[in-house]
mmCIF file of all heavy atoms in Angstrom:
data_model
loop_
_atom_site.group_PDB
_atom_site.id
_atom_site.type_symbol
_atom_site.label_atom_id
_atom_site.label_comp_id
_atom_site.label_asym_id
_atom_site.label_seq_id
_atom_site.Cartn_x
_atom_site.Cartn_y
_atom_site.Cartn_z
ATOM 1 N N LYS F 19 19.167 -27.809 66.332
ATOM 2 C CA LYS F 19 18.078 -27.676 65.369
ATOM 3 C C LYS F 19 17.177 -26.536 65.815
ATOM 4 O O LYS F 19 16.980 -26.336 67.019
ATOM 5 C CB LYS F 19 17.252 -28.961 65.287
ATOM 6 C CG LYS F 19 18.013 -30.136 64.737
ATOM 7 C CD LYS F 19 17.117 -31.360 64.698
ATOM 8 C CE LYS F 19 17.875 -32.562 64.188
ATOM 9 N NZ LYS F 19 17.007 -33.753 64.154
ATOM 10 N N ALA F 20 16.639 -25.811 64.842
ATOM 11 C CA ALA F 20 15.741 -24.693 65.165
ATOM 12 C C ALA F 20 14.853 -24.409 63.962
ATOM 13 O O ALA F 20 15.101 -24.883 62.855
ATOM 14 C CB ALA F 20 16.551 -23.452 65.535
ATOM 15 N N ARG F 21 13.831 -23.617 64.198
ATOM 16 C CA ARG F 21 12.997 -23.070 63.134
ATOM 17 C C ARG F 21 13.133 -21.564 63.220
ATOM 18 O O ARG F 21 13.217 -20.996 64.308
ATOM 19 C CB ARG F 21 11.544 -23.479 63.322
ATOM 20 C CG ARG F 21 11.304 -24.918 62.964
ATOM 21 C CD ARG F 21 9.826 -25.276 63.088
ATOM 22 N NE ARG F 21 9.479 -26.425 62.295
ATOM 23 C CZ ARG F 21 9.796 -27.670 62.600
ATOM 24 N NH1 ARG F 21 10.485 -27.920 63.685
ATOM 25 N NH2 ARG F 21 9.434 -28.668 61.826
ATOM 26 N N GLY F 22 13.178 -20.936 62.041
ATOM 27 C CA GLY F 22 13.357 -19.494 62.044
ATOM 28 C C GLY F 22 12.850 -18.865 60.772
ATOM 29 O O GLY F 22 12.109 -19.482 60.002
ATOM 30 N N ASP F 23 13.270 -17.624 60.561
ATOM 31 C CA ASP F 23 12.861 -16.861 59.387
ATOM 32 C C ASP F 23 14.075 -16.523 58.554
ATOM 33 O O ASP F 23 15.130 -16.186 59.092
ATOM 34 C CB ASP F 23 12.174 -15.551 59.811
ATOM 35 C CG ASP F 23 10.864 -15.812 60.530
ATOM 36 O OD1 ASP F 23 10.039 -16.564 59.992
ATOM 37 O OD2 ASP F 23 10.672 -15.265 61.633
ATOM 38 N N LEU F 24 13.916 -16.601 57.238
ATOM 39 C CA LEU F 24 14.956 -16.229 56.291
ATOM 40 C C LEU F 24 14.477 -14.975 55.572
ATOM 41 O O LEU F 24 13.335 -14.917 55.118
ATOM 42 C CB LEU F 24 15.181 -17.369 55.294
ATOM 43 C CG LEU F 24 16.256 -17.132 54.233
ATOM 44 C CD1 LEU F 24 16.963 -18.444 53.929
ATOM 45 C CD2 LEU F 24 15.663 -16.581 52.960
ATOM 46 N N TYR F 25 15.325 -13.961 55.518
ATOM 47 C CA TYR F 25 15.036 -12.695 54.837
ATOM 48 C C TYR F 25 16.138 -12.435 53.825
ATOM 49 O O TYR F 25 17.269 -12.827 54.035
ATOM 50 C CB TYR F 25 15.059 -11.511 55.817
ATOM 51 C CG TYR F 25 14.138 -11.625 56.984
ATOM 52 C CD1 TYR F 25 14.553 -12.263 58.153
ATOM 53 C CD2 TYR F 25 12.870 -11.068 56.945
ATOM 54 C CE1 TYR F 25 13.717 -12.360 59.239
ATOM 55 C CE2 TYR F 25 12.030 -11.158 58.034
ATOM 56 C CZ TYR F 25 12.453 -11.801 59.180
ATOM 57 O OH TYR F 25 11.633 -11.891 60.261
ATOM 58 N N ARG F 26 15.812 -11.720 52.787
ATOM 59 C CA ARG F 26 16.822 -11.282 51.822
ATOM 60 C C ARG F 26 16.810 -9.768 51.740
ATOM 61 O O ARG F 26 15.757 -9.151 51.739
ATOM 62 C CB ARG F 26 16.534 -11.854 50.450
ATOM 63 C CG ARG F 26 16.769 -13.327 50.407
ATOM 64 C CD ARG F 26 16.905 -13.821 48.984
ATOM 65 N NE ARG F 26 17.033 -15.259 49.002
ATOM 66 C CZ ARG F 26 15.996 -16.084 49.017
ATOM 67 N NH1 ARG F 26 14.785 -15.630 48.985
ATOM 68 N NH2 ARG F 26 16.212 -17.384 49.060
ATOM 69 N N LYS F 27 18.010 -9.202 51.661
ATOM 70 C CA LYS F 27 18.158 -7.763 51.477
ATOM 71 C C LYS F 27 19.369 -7.562 50.581
ATOM 72 O O LYS F 27 20.495 -7.830 50.990
ATOM 73 C CB LYS F 27 18.356 -7.069 52.828
ATOM 74 C CG LYS F 27 18.312 -5.568 52.741
ATOM 75 C CD LYS F 27 18.309 -4.954 54.127
ATOM 76 C CE LYS F 27 18.150 -3.457 54.008
ATOM 77 N NZ LYS F 27 18.110 -2.815 55.296
ATOM 78 N N GLY F 28 19.138 -7.160 49.350
ATOM 79 C CA GLY F 28 20.230 -7.027 48.390
ATOM 80 C C GLY F 28 20.857 -8.385 48.139
ATOM 81 O O GLY F 28 20.165 -9.364 47.902
ATOM 82 N N ASN F 29 22.187 -8.446 48.225
ATOM 83 C CA ASN F 29 22.907 -9.709 48.027
ATOM 84 C C ASN F 29 23.104 -10.485 49.325
ATOM 85 O O ASN F 29 23.838 -11.461 49.343
ATOM 86 C CB ASN F 29 24.289 -9.436 47.403
ATOM 87 C CG ASN F 29 24.170 -8.927 45.992
ATOM 88 O OD1 ASN F 29 23.197 -9.221 45.299
ATOM 89 N ND2 ASN F 29 25.141 -8.146 45.560
ATOM 90 N N HIS F 30 22.472 -10.040 50.391
ATOM 91 C CA HIS F 30 22.648 -10.677 51.692
ATOM 92 C C HIS F 30 21.417 -11.502 52.052
ATOM 93 O O HIS F 30 20.302 -11.132 51.736
ATOM 94 C CB HIS F 30 22.885 -9.635 52.789
ATOM 95 C CG HIS F 30 24.016 -8.710 52.484
ATOM 96 N ND1 HIS F 30 23.960 -7.378 52.780
ATOM 97 C CD2 HIS F 30 25.215 -8.910 51.898
ATOM 98 C CE1 HIS F 30 25.085 -6.805 52.402
ATOM 99 N NE2 HIS F 30 25.857 -7.717 51.863
ATOM 100 N N THR F 31 21.667 -12.601 52.764
ATOM 101 C CA THR F 31 20.606 -13.441 53.293
ATOM 102 C C THR F 31 20.745 -13.447 54.807
ATOM 103 O O THR F 31 21.846 -13.611 55.327
ATOM 104 C CB THR F 31 20.717 -14.877 52.743
ATOM 105 O OG1 THR F 31 20.626 -14.826 51.320
ATOM 106 C CG2 THR F 31 19.603 -15.752 53.285
ATOM 107 N N TYR F 32 19.636 -13.264 55.494
ATOM 108 C CA TYR F 32 19.622 -13.256 56.955
ATOM 109 C C TYR F 32 18.724 -14.383 57.442
ATOM 110 O O TYR F 32 17.630 -14.573 56.928
ATOM 111 C CB TYR F 32 19.064 -11.934 57.495
ATOM 112 C CG TYR F 32 19.889 -10.740 57.126
ATOM 113 C CD1 TYR F 32 19.656 -10.042 55.945
ATOM 114 C CD2 TYR F 32 20.912 -10.285 57.953
ATOM 115 C CE1 TYR F 32 20.408 -8.933 55.596
ATOM 116 C CE2 TYR F 32 21.675 -9.178 57.615
ATOM 117 C CZ TYR F 32 21.411 -8.515 56.435
ATOM 118 O OH TYR F 32 22.169 -7.422 56.096
ATOM 119 N N ILE F 33 19.204 -15.111 58.450
ATOM 120 C CA ILE F 33 18.419 -16.150 59.084
ATOM 121 C C ILE F 33 18.354 -15.804 60.560
ATOM 122 O O ILE F 33 19.381 -15.612 61.213
ATOM 123 C CB ILE F 33 19.051 -17.539 58.873
ATOM 124 C CG1 ILE F 33 19.068 -17.844 57.370
ATOM 125 C CG2 ILE F 33 18.279 -18.606 59.623
ATOM 126 C CD1 ILE F 33 20.304 -18.472 56.902
ATOM 127 N N ARG F 34 17.129 -15.712 61.068
ATOM 128 C CA ARG F 34 16.924 -15.326 62.471
ATOM 129 C C ARG F 34 16.148 -16.429 63.171
ATOM 130 O O ARG F 34 15.124 -16.887 62.662
ATOM 131 C CB ARG F 34 16.139 -14.018 62.532
ATOM 132 C CG ARG F 34 15.951 -13.476 63.928
ATOM 133 C CD ARG F 34 15.137 -12.173 63.872
ATOM 134 N NE ARG F 34 14.981 -11.601 65.175
ATOM 135 C CZ ARG F 34 14.075 -11.995 66.078
ATOM 136 N NH1 ARG F 34 13.236 -12.962 65.790
ATOM 137 N NH2 ARG F 34 14.019 -11.409 67.257
ATOM 138 N N TYR F 35 16.641 -16.855 64.342
ATOM 139 C CA TYR F 35 15.943 -17.888 65.101
ATOM 140 C C TYR F 35 16.235 -17.728 66.585
ATOM 141 O O TYR F 35 17.229 -17.131 66.981
ATOM 142 C CB TYR F 35 16.324 -19.295 64.628
ATOM 143 C CG TYR F 35 17.769 -19.665 64.857
ATOM 144 C CD1 TYR F 35 18.158 -20.357 66.005
ATOM 145 C CD2 TYR F 35 18.749 -19.344 63.927
ATOM 146 C CE1 TYR F 35 19.482 -20.696 66.212
ATOM 147 C CE2 TYR F 35 20.080 -19.688 64.129
ATOM 148 C CZ TYR F 35 20.430 -20.356 65.273
ATOM 149 O OH TYR F 35 21.744 -20.693 65.479
ATOM 150 N N GLU F 36 15.327 -18.277 67.386
ATOM 151 C CA GLU F 36 15.518 -18.277 68.836
ATOM 152 C C GLU F 36 16.092 -19.628 69.229
ATOM 153 O O GLU F 36 15.573 -20.671 68.827
ATOM 154 C CB GLU F 36 14.198 -18.032 69.557
ATOM 155 C CG GLU F 36 14.388 -17.859 71.043
ATOM 156 C CD GLU F 36 13.145 -17.360 71.767
ATOM 157 O OE1 GLU F 36 12.307 -16.706 71.128
ATOM 158 O OE2 GLU F 36 13.029 -17.640 72.974
ATOM 159 N N GLU F 37 17.177 -19.586 69.995
ATOM 160 C CA GLU F 37 17.790 -20.821 70.463
ATOM 161 C C GLU F 37 16.919 -21.440 71.548
ATOM 162 O O GLU F 37 16.155 -20.749 72.220
ATOM 163 C CB GLU F 37 19.193 -20.543 71.013
ATOM 164 C CG GLU F 37 20.152 -20.037 69.963
ATOM 165 C CD GLU F 37 21.545 -19.774 70.508
ATOM 166 O OE1 GLU F 37 21.881 -20.295 71.593
ATOM 167 O OE2 GLU F 37 22.295 -19.052 69.831
ATOM 168 N N GLU F 38 17.061 -22.754 71.707
ATOM 169 C CA GLU F 38 16.351 -23.433 72.799
ATOM 170 C C GLU F 38 16.812 -22.822 74.121
ATOM 171 O O GLU F 38 18.020 -22.685 74.345
ATOM 172 C CB GLU F 38 16.683 -24.933 72.804
ATOM 173 C CG GLU F 38 16.023 -25.710 71.695
ATOM 174 C CD GLU F 38 14.533 -25.849 71.880
ATOM 175 O OE1 GLU F 38 14.073 -26.046 73.022
ATOM 176 O OE2 GLU F 38 13.818 -25.741 70.877
ATOM 177 N N PRO F 39 15.871 -22.446 74.998
ATOM 178 C CA PRO F 39 16.295 -21.908 76.305
ATOM 179 C C PRO F 39 17.146 -22.953 77.042
ATOM 180 O O PRO F 39 16.871 -24.141 76.975
ATOM 181 C CB PRO F 39 14.983 -21.654 77.043
ATOM 182 C CG PRO F 39 13.951 -21.544 75.959
ATOM 183 C CD PRO F 39 14.433 -22.449 74.851
ATOM 184 N N ASN F 40 18.192 -22.480 77.712
ATOM 185 C CA ASN F 40 19.060 -23.387 78.471
ATOM 186 C C ASN F 40 19.495 -22.699 79.756
ATOM 187 O O ASN F 40 18.961 -21.652 80.116
ATOM 188 C CB ASN F 40 20.248 -23.842 77.618
ATOM 189 C CG ASN F 40 21.092 -22.672 77.147
ATOM 190 O OD1 ASN F 40 21.287 -21.694 77.871
ATOM 191 N ND2 ASN F 40 21.606 -22.756 75.934
ATOM 192 N N GLU F 41 20.496 -23.263 80.421
ATOM 193 C CA GLU F 41 20.943 -22.714 81.705
ATOM 194 C C GLU F 41 21.489 -21.300 81.579
ATOM 195 O O GLU F 41 21.551 -20.563 82.553
ATOM 196 C CB GLU F 41 21.983 -23.638 82.362
ATOM 197 C CG GLU F 41 23.293 -23.770 81.620
ATOM 198 C CD GLU F 41 23.289 -24.802 80.495
ATOM 199 O OE1 GLU F 41 22.274 -25.476 80.282
ATOM 200 O OE2 GLU F 41 24.314 -24.909 79.809
ATOM 201 N N LEU F 42 21.886 -20.894 80.357
ATOM 202 C CA LEU F 42 22.388 -19.535 80.159
ATOM 203 C C LEU F 42 21.267 -18.540 79.859
ATOM 204 O O LEU F 42 21.527 -17.346 79.766
ATOM 205 C CB LEU F 42 23.426 -19.509 79.030
ATOM 206 C CG LEU F 42 24.709 -20.280 79.306
ATOM 207 C CD1 LEU F 42 25.602 -20.293 78.075
ATOM 208 C CD2 LEU F 42 25.453 -19.715 80.502
ATOM 209 N N GLY F 43 20.037 -19.040 79.663
ATOM 210 C CA GLY F 43 18.904 -18.141 79.430
ATOM 211 C C GLY F 43 18.394 -18.194 78.003
ATOM 212 O O GLY F 43 18.487 -19.206 77.318
ATOM 213 N N ARG F 44 17.855 -17.066 77.549
ATOM 214 C CA ARG F 44 17.201 -16.956 76.237
ATOM 215 C C ARG F 44 18.094 -16.156 75.291
ATOM 216 O O ARG F 44 18.591 -15.086 75.653
ATOM 217 C CB ARG F 44 15.862 -16.247 76.434
ATOM 218 C CG ARG F 44 15.027 -16.184 75.200
ATOM 219 C CD ARG F 44 13.630 -15.634 75.547
ATOM 220 N NE ARG F 44 12.953 -15.332 74.301
ATOM 221 C CZ ARG F 44 12.902 -14.122 73.755
ATOM 222 N NH1 ARG F 44 13.455 -13.089 74.372
ATOM 223 N NH2 ARG F 44 12.290 -13.931 72.613
ATOM 224 N N THR F 45 18.262 -16.676 74.072
ATOM 225 C CA THR F 45 19.137 -16.023 73.100
ATOM 226 C C THR F 45 18.524 -16.099 71.707
ATOM 227 O O THR F 45 18.026 -17.144 71.303
ATOM 228 C CB THR F 45 20.531 -16.689 73.085
ATOM 229 O OG1 THR F 45 21.082 -16.612 74.402
ATOM 230 C CG2 THR F 45 21.473 -16.012 72.115
ATOM 231 N N VAL F 46 18.571 -14.983 70.978
ATOM 232 C CA VAL F 46 18.143 -14.933 69.585
ATOM 233 C C VAL F 46 19.393 -14.806 68.725
ATOM 234 O O VAL F 46 20.276 -14.002 69.010
ATOM 235 C CB VAL F 46 17.184 -13.744 69.331
ATOM 236 C CG1 VAL F 46 16.853 -13.616 67.847
ATOM 237 C CG2 VAL F 46 15.913 -13.903 70.152
#
């Protein structure tokens, strides 16, 4: 589960969110 941002550009939809930090580090 996460919270993020949804953007639209033309016919494309983008969802961007930061994953919960874990043993592998930080990931967007």
Side-chain angles (χ1 to χ4, degrees):
K19 294 180 182 180
R21 285 183 158 74
D23 294 309
L24 180 145
Y25 304 88
R26 290 198 184 86
K27 189 172 185 179
N29 292 333
H30 306 141
T31 301
Y32 297 89
I33 298 138
R34 184 181 182 279
Y35 65 94
E36 187 169 335
E37 296 180 18
E38 286 290 321
N40 59 37
E41 65 276 358
L42 295 175
R44 186 172 168 263
T45 302
V46 174

